[in-house]
Amino acid sequence: MSNENLTLTRRRFGGLIGAAAGSAALGPLAAPALAQGFPGRPVTLIVPFAPGGSTDLVARLVAAKMSETLGQQVIVDNRGGAGGNLGAGTVAKAEPDGYTILMGTVATHALNPALYKKISYNAETDFAPISLLVNVPNVLTVNPNFGAKTVQELIDMAKKDPGKYSYASSGNGSPLHLSGELFKKLAGIDLIHIPYKGSGPALVDVIAGQVPIQFDNMPSSTEHIKAGRLRALGVTTAQRVPTFPDLPAIAETLPGYDTYSWNALFAPKGTPPEAIAKLNEVAVKAVNDPTVKAKLSDFSAVTVGSTPEELATLVKTELAKWAPIVKDSGAQID
């Protein structure tokens, strides 16, 4: 190496040392400058459930559109287990740099804290909210040969014969089980809960008439309702859904009844505000993209695209809402 090149190399090295020392001296003040270049590499979106469900579908639709806007890939990583707790706990403990985020749900951030005796994260304090993406309605259905044709008729039948009728759900402690428990509580009726290992087996038995009533995700039941294999009595959201405008909301009979599944993005607590702002911006843009919105509406998902503050409020509200319902149901998981 020539003397000239050696001198240049020493100058560059010295400049790097000076820059590093300056960054160290600034400490936290340097963090926003670093975050302004976010993202500089792919972002991992952890879905805390197996592939193929509605949460996974929402994640993949949104991740693909976010990738286009960010100029970096948003990679979906399914980490199923413990009702969503495994994936959520992984993100809670991840480096708070915006490069590992979670597709949270009503299960991970509202139900599981009340259901599980031991849980590795705090739904409120271990995450930085990014955006509520979509609400997915549930639906109350019955076998077409069942006597009730409306929510009120079902309530009247159940009051006349307490404990005579049963309802199916996708499992103990699931959002659908607890949708049924809230229905019972507000209606003042006694229905017997029959838990299944997933919506699929429950649908089979309700269609066959083995169990007369079911609470299910709208996406799972939509085709069966359209084909006449199930009779829908009401959607569980406070308002009717666009895909079934003639189907009443249960709240029209039971004021205050409002349950639904939701999907929202969270980052680990301590993630730089600039990274949260950027992720929020591209996530909101993604769910409002006409193509994405149309695909989401195919299974009755209602797009939201909230602010981080609105999502934080939702988590507080949902935790307060579901804790007593879980307790009353007696459902608990070790």
Side-chain angles (χ1 to χ4, degrees):
M1 182 179 294
S2 69
N3 289 337
E4 181 181 356
N5 287 339
L6 183 59
T7 300
L8 287 171
T9 300
R10 284 173 176 165
R11 285 175 180 168
R12 287 175 186 147
F13 183 70
L16 288 172
I17 293 295
S23 295
L26 285 171
L29 295 177
L34 295 174
Q36 284 173 5
F38 176 86
R41 63 178 191 271
V43 174
T44 298
L45 171 56
I46 290 183
V47 175
F49 302 101
S54 61
T55 298
D56 182 63
L57 176 59
V58 171
R60 291 180 187 278
L61 284 171
V62 172
K65 187 55 65 174
M66 287 177 68
S67 298
E68 292 178 15
T69 307
L70 283 173
Q72 292 285 352
Q73 286 294 308
V74 178
I75 302 167
V76 175
D77 181 1
N78 296 87
R79 301 277 188 97
N85 289 345
L86 180 62
T90 298
V91 175
K93 295 175 177 61
E95 187 72 23
D97 54 12
Y99 289 98
T100 303
I101 58 177
L102 173 72
M103 181 63 80
T105 69
V106 63
T108 61
H109 279 72
L111 304 182
N112 290 357
L115 275 172
Y116 285 79
K117 288 183 179 179
K118 294 180 180 178
I119 191 167
S120 65
Y121 60 88
N122 184 298
E124 281 191 86
T125 61
D126 287 345
F127 297 92
I130 298 171
S131 181
L132 173 63
L133 302 177
V134 298
N135 292 329
V136 181
N138 302 324
V139 61
L140 168 59
T141 60
V142 296
N143 180 279
N145 296 320
F146 188 63
K149 291 183 172 59
T150 66
V151 170
Q152 189 59 59
E153 287 179 3
L154 171 58
I155 293 171
D156 291 343
M157 289 174 65
K159 284 186 174 179
K160 183 179 178 182
D161 294 298
K164 178 179 178 179
Y165 304 107
S166 56
Y167 76 94
S169 84
S170 57
N172 271 322
S174 68
L176 302 167
H177 169 204
L178 297 170
S179 290
E181 293 302 307
L182 180 60
F183 181 78
K184 287 166 53 178
K185 181 177 181 179
L186 293 183
I189 58 175
D190 180 20
L191 299 174
I192 306 302
H193 175 229
I194 309 295
Y196 285 78
K197 293 182 177 180
S199 290
L203 277 167
V204 169
D205 275 7
V206 175
I207 290 169
Q210 300 298 316
V211 182
I213 307 161
Q214 182 179 10
F215 285 86
D216 192 20
N217 289 130
M218 182 68 84
S220 302
S221 289
T222 292
E223 293 306 315
H224 299 295
I225 294 168
K226 290 179 177 178
R229 292 185 289 269
L230 291 172
R231 178 190 299 137
L233 300 188
V235 292
T236 64
T237 45
Q239 287 84 35
R240 300 186 183 199
V241 298
T243 46
F244 288 89
D246 296 328
L247 181 60
I250 293 172
E252 294 174 33
T253 302
L254 289 178
Y257 187 89
D258 184 19
T259 78
Y260 49 89
S261 298
W262 47 262
N263 297 125
L265 294 181
F266 296 88
K269 177 186 176 182
T271 299
E274 293 78 9
I276 296 295
K278 186 65 176 179
L279 290 166
N280 174 270
E281 176 190 340
V282 297
V284 171
K285 184 176 180 180
V287 294
N288 285 302
D289 176 83
T291 302
V292 173
K293 204 163 189 171
K295 289 179 179 177
L296 290 171
S297 69
D298 284 345
F299 61 96
S300 300
V302 180
T303 57
V304 182
S306 78
T307 65
E309 294 77 16
E310 288 167 339
L311 176 54
T313 299
L314 173 71
V315 171
K316 283 181 179 290
T317 302
E318 290 280 87
L319 283 166
K321 170 183 173 179
W322 286 111
I325 298 168
V326 172
K327 185 177 179 180
D328 290 347
S329 75
Q332 193 165 64
I333 302 171
D334 291 331

